[in-house]
C-alpha cells in the first residue's frame, strides 16, 4: 500500500512538472489572453471599448505658454531677441466624438471630433483677458510676405502706415488665442473674402472640429484598430511634394492597437502638424501602478535632409529646408510664415536656440511622449508639446522690418496632456489582474508539481530510514539453538 502511494505521488509530481513546462514553452495561456484582448479591441456599438473611444473619460488639459518680447527696438536694430516665458494658461479640453457612423459592415467608423476649451484659473498664472503679451505681428508679417514684389506692395505699405502697424504688437492672451479683429486683415478681406479678418492661433477652434475622420474598427485585424484611412474625404494629403510625405498614417494619438512591442514604431496623424509622424520606444515604467512603455518622437522625424533624405518632401518649395527640428507649415496655414518645432527648440539645430535669448530646452518639460500599456494599447499618460514660430526677415520693401535678422521667432507653445483617471485605472488593473492569473496558471501547476515532488522525496527518505532503524534482534531468528 505504501509503495502504491509512493509511486502515485511521484508520477503526479512528474506529470505536473512536465505539463507546466510544456504550457510555458507553448505559451498556451498567454495566447488565450492575447486572443481575448484582440477580440475585445474592436469598435462595436455598446461595448466598453467603443464608449471609451467615443468619449474618453480621462481629463485632457491644454496649457499655453507665451514668449513675451522684452527688447523690440533692439531686435529691429539687429540684436538677438530676448524673450520671457509667461504661462501656463490652462484650459480643460472636452473632445467627444460625434456623428459616429459605422461603414462597410462595421469595418470602418466615421466621426467628427469637436474640441471645447474651458479656462481653469486655478491651474493658470493669470487672467487671459487681462494679461498682455508683446509678440510678432503675424498679420502684418504675413501681409508683407504675401505682397512683396507684387502690384499690391505699395498699397500694403500705405495700410501699414495708416494703421500704424509695426513688426511687434501687444494683445491679451485671450485675443492671441481665440481671435481679434485685425484692421489690416479686415481691409484685405474686402478684396479677398477668403482671408479671415479675425486673427488668433485658435480662432474658430473652440467648439469646432477639424474635419471628418474615417477609422478602421479593428474588425478584420487588431493591428488596424482606430487607424485613420480618410480625413476630410481624402485618403492622402496634397501639401507636400512626395507621396510618402503626403501619406496619412496611424491613429489620432488617443488610442492604439493592443499587444504593442518595444520594436515597433507608433504612427500618428496630426492635423496640427499637417502630417503624419512616428514615435519609437524610449523606456519602460509605471503609471498609477500599471506597467507602460514610453514612446517619443524619433529623431529622424524632424531631421535635416542629410540625415533623413525622406524629409525632402516636407521642404516647400523644393529645396527650401529650414533645418533640423523645424517644420515649415505655411503651405497649410493660408501662406502665413508659420514654422513648428518642439518647445524651446528641443532637439532642434542649436542655431535656433542660440538666435533667441531665453531658450532653455529640457527633455522633461519639452519632449512629446506617450505612456502606453503594452497589453491593451491604452494611453495612460501623454503630453503633446508643440511650439509655434514665425519666420521673420528684413524686407527692403517695408521699412517696418528695420534691420531685423532672419530668424525663426518663437511666439508660444502648447502642452496638451492627459493622465488616466482613478476609475479607469481601477478597471484596467482588474483586467490586468485577470490576465496575470490566467497567464500564471502554468506556474501554479509547476508549484504543485514541486510540492508533490518534495512530498515524494520525504516519503522515500522516511521509508528508507525506517528500514535502517530495525535492530539486530529484530533481524535474528525467533528460535535459537544453544
Amino acid at each position: 500500500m505504501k509503495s502504491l502511494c509512493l509511486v502515485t505521488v511521484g508520477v503526479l509530481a512528474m506529470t505536473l512538472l512536465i505539463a507546466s513546462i510544456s504550457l510555458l514553452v507553448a505559451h498556451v495561456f498567454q495566447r488565450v489572453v492575447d486572443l481575448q484582448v484582440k477580440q475585445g479591441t474592436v469598435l462595436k456599438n455598446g461595448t466598453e471599448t467603443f464608449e471609451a473611444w467615443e468619449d474618453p473619460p480621462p481629463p485632457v488639459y491644454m496649457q499655453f505658454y507665451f514668449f513675451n518680447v522684452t527688447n523690440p527696438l533692439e531686435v529691429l536694430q539687429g540684436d538677438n531677441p530676448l524673450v520671457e516665458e509667461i504661462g501656463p494658461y490652462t484650459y480643460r479640453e472636452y473632445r467627444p466624438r460625434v456623428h459616429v457612423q459605422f461603414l462597410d459592415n462595421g469595418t470602418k467608423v466615421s466621426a467628427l471630433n469637436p474640441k471645447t476649451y474651458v479656462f481653469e484659473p486655478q491651474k493658470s498664472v493669470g487672467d487671459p483677458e487681462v494679461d498682455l503679451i508683446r509678440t510678432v505681428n503675424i498679420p502684418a508679417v504675413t501681409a508683407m510676405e504675401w505682397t512683396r514684389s507684387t502690384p499690391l506692395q505699395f498699397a500694403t505699405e500705405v495700410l501699414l502706415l495708416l494703421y500704424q502697424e509695426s513688426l511687434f504688437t501687444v494683445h491679451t492672451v485671450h485675443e492671441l488665442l481665440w481671435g481679434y479683429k485685425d484692421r489690416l486683415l479686415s481691409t484685405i478681406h474686402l478684396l479677398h473674402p477668403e482671408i479671415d479678418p479675425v486673427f488668433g492661433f485658435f480662432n474658430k477652434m473652440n467648439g469646432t472640429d477639424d474635419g471628418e475622420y474615417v477609422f478602421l474598427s479593428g474588425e478584420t485585424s487588431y493591428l488596424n484598430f482606430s487607424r485613420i484611412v480618410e480625413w476630410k474625404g481624402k485618403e492622402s494629403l496634397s501639401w507636400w511634394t512626395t507621396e510618402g510625405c503626403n501619406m496619412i498614417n496611424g491613429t489620432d494619438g488617443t488610442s492604439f492597437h493592443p499587444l504593442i512591442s518595444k520594436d515597433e514604431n507608433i504612427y500618428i496623424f496630426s492635423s496640427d502638424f499637417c502630417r503624419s509622424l512616428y514615435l519609437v520606444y524610449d523606456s519602460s515604467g509605471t503609471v498609477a501602478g500599471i506597467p507602460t512603455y514610453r514612446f517619443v518622437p524619433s529623431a529622424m522625424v524632424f531631421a535635416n535632409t542629410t540625415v533623413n533624405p525622406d524629409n525632402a518632401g516636407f521642404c516647400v518649395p523644393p529645396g527650401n529646408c529650414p533645418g533640423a527640428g523645424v517644420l515649415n507649415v505655411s503651405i497649410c496655414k493660408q501662406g502665413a510664415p508659420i514654422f513648428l518645432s518642439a518647445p524651446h527648440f528641443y532637439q532642434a539645430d542649436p542655431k535656433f536656440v542660440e538666435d533667441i535669448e531665453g531658450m532653455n530646452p529640457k527633455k522633461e518639460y519639452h519632449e512629446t511622449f506617450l505612456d502606453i500599456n503594452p497589453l491593451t494599447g491604452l494611453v495612460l499618460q501623454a503630453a503633446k508639446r508643440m511650439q509655434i514660430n514665425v519666420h521673420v526677415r528684413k524686407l527692403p520693401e517695408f521699412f517696418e522690418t528695420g534691420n531685423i535678422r532672419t530668424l525663426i521667432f518663437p511666439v508660444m507653445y502648447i502642452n496638451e496632456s492627459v493622465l488616466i483617471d482613478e476609475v479607469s485605472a481601477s478597471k484596467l488593473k482588474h483586467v490586468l489582474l485577470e490576465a496575470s492569473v490566467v497567464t500564471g496558471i502554468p506556474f501554479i501547476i509547476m508549484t504543485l508539481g514541486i510540492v508533490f515532488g518534495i512530498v515524494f522525496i520525504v516519503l522515500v527518505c522516511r521509508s528508507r530510514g525506517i528500514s535502517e532503524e530495525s535492530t539486530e534482534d529484530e533481524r535474528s531468528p525467533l528460535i535459537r539453538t544453544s
Side-chain angles (χ1 to χ4, degrees):
M1 186 68 181
K2 289 183 178 180
S3 298
L4 179 61
C5 181
L6 208 60
V7 171
T8 302
V9 172
V11 171
L12 184 59
M14 287 299 295
T15 302
L16 291 173
L17 287 171
I18 293 172
S20 64
I21 294 172
S22 299
L23 291 172
L24 285 173
V25 171
H27 303 288
V28 173
F29 288 97
Q30 183 63 56
R31 291 178 179 177
V32 170
V33 171
D34 291 351
L35 181 61
Q36 289 179 336
V37 171
K38 291 177 184 178
Q39 292 175 342
T41 312
V42 179
L43 293 176
K44 288 183 179 179
N45 207 357
T47 63
E48 286 190 15
T49 299
F50 175 76
E51 291 175 359
W53 176 84
E54 186 178 35
D55 191 9
V60 179
Y61 292 97
M62 180 74 89
Q63 294 179 307
F64 300 98
Y65 296 81
F66 287 84
F67 294 110
N68 187 57
V69 182
T70 60
N71 63 337
L73 297 179
E74 290 80 0
V75 173
L76 290 174
Q77 294 171 4
D79 289 353
N80 281 0
L82 176 60
V83 297
E84 174 191 12
E85 181 183 299
I86 299 178
Y89 295 90
T90 305
Y91 292 76
R92 172 74 185 273
E93 182 180 329
Y94 297 90
R95 46 190 306 165
R97 291 185 172 89
V98 298
H99 301 296
V100 178
Q101 293 183 328
F102 288 89
L103 311 170
D104 296 349
N105 297 320
T107 59
K108 295 180 181 179
V109 185
S110 66
L112 299 175
N113 191 201
K115 299 177 182 178
T116 303
Y117 302 92
V118 179
F119 182 61
E120 294 276 347
Q122 298 83 3
K123 299 179 182 291
S124 305
V125 296
D127 187 344
E129 298 195 17
V130 174
D131 295 355
L132 296 173
I133 301 294
R134 181 189 288 112
T135 187
V136 176
N137 188 343
I138 295 179
V141 171
T142 302
M144 287 187 280
E145 290 286 356
W146 277 345
T147 59
R148 66 184 297 264
S149 302
T150 72
L152 295 176
Q153 176 186 312
F154 179 73
T156 301
E157 180 62 46
V158 170
L159 289 175
L160 291 170
L161 291 171
L162 179 64
Y163 297 139
Q164 297 182 334
E165 298 283 358
S166 67
L167 196 66
F168 296 98
T169 186
V170 177
H171 286 281
T172 66
V173 169
H174 183 86
E175 289 173 333
L176 290 172
L177 284 177
W178 311 115
Y180 61 92
K181 191 168 185 179
D182 184 81
R183 291 181 298 177
L184 181 61
L185 292 180
S186 296
T187 303
I188 296 175
H189 175 74
L190 297 175
L191 299 174
H192 297 277
E194 71 277 9
I195 302 299
D196 196 330
V198 176
F199 172 79
F201 292 108
F202 282 73
N203 177 37
K204 297 180 180 179
M205 293 175 66
N206 196 350
T208 60
D209 60 81
D210 61 343
E212 184 183 58
Y213 289 84
V214 177
F215 306 86
L216 294 178
S217 66
E219 181 73 38
T220 56
S221 171
Y222 77 97
L223 293 172
N224 289 330
F225 174 73
S226 71
R227 184 168 68 85
I228 300 169
V229 291
E230 286 184 25
W231 178 55
K232 291 185 174 181
K234 297 181 179 180
E235 297 180 355
S236 62
L237 307 175
S238 58
W239 295 309
W240 312 113
T241 60
T242 64
E243 183 179 347
C245 291
N246 279 319
M247 292 178 66
I248 297 177
N249 291 325
T251 72
D252 62 1
T254 61
S255 56
F256 299 93
H257 69 79
L259 308 179
I260 289 177
S261 71
K262 297 178 182 179
D263 299 325
E264 69 179 292
N265 295 330
I266 300 295
Y267 284 87
I268 295 174
F269 170 71
S270 172
S271 63
D272 294 330
F273 279 96
C274 307
R275 59 165 291 182
S276 301
L277 49 95
Y278 68 93
L279 293 81
V280 295
Y281 172 81
D282 178 70
S283 59
S284 299
T286 60
V287 174
I290 301 170
T292 59
Y293 288 166
R294 171 162 290 191
F295 285 82
V296 300
S298 169
M300 298 294 285
V301 171
F302 296 112
N304 60 42
T305 53
T306 57
V307 176
N308 184 5
D310 292 339
N311 281 346
F314 294 113
C315 300
V316 179
N320 184 23
C321 306
V326 174
L327 177 67
N328 180 359
V329 293
S330 57
I331 194 170
C332 59
K333 303 296 180 183
Q334 290 188 314
I338 302 296
F339 287 61
L340 300 180
S341 69
H344 287 252
F345 298 111
Y346 173 71
Q347 289 189 326
D349 191 312
K351 70 178 181 181
F352 299 120
V353 178
E354 295 166 0
D355 283 344
I356 310 294
E357 294 184 34
M359 296 292 98
N360 187 23
K362 292 184 178 180
K363 177 183 176 72
E364 59 268 32
Y365 299 127
H366 304 137
E367 183 178 53
T368 293
F369 68 85
L370 288 170
D371 288 337
I372 306 173
N373 176 251
L375 177 64
T376 61
L378 294 177
V379 177
L380 275 64
Q381 183 177 229
K384 183 177 80 173
R385 292 156 173 168
M386 177 183 73
Q387 181 170 294
I388 299 174
N389 311 281
V390 183
H391 180 257
V392 296
R393 55 179 173 167
K394 179 180 179 179
L395 299 175
E397 302 90 343
F398 297 97
F399 82 93
E400 287 83 3
T401 60
N403 291 313
I404 192 170
R405 298 168 52 213
T406 299
L407 298 166
I408 303 297
F409 208 111
V411 177
M412 62 168 290
Y413 74 87
I414 65 172
N415 176 28
E416 187 178 23
S417 61
V418 62
L419 176 65
I420 190 170
D421 59 287
E422 292 184 5
V423 175
S424 299
S426 179
K427 289 182 179 179
L428 181 55
K429 285 179 180 178
H430 180 71
V431 171
L432 295 177
L433 178 60
E434 290 181 344
S436 63
V437 169
V438 173
T439 55
I441 289 177
F443 295 100
I444 297 173
I445 295 174
M446 181 179 290
T447 302
L448 290 174
I450 293 171
V451 170
F452 278 107
I454 293 172
V455 171
F456 174 75
I457 294 171
V458 170
L459 290 176
V460 169
C461 291
R462 286 189 62 184
S463 176
R464 289 182 178 178
I466 291 172
S467 298
E468 292 174 356
E469 287 174 0
S470 58
T471 64
E472 182 67 26
D473 289 338
E474 291 173 332
R475 293 194 296 270
S476 64
L478 293 178
I479 301 175
R480 299 180 181 179
T481 58
S482 55

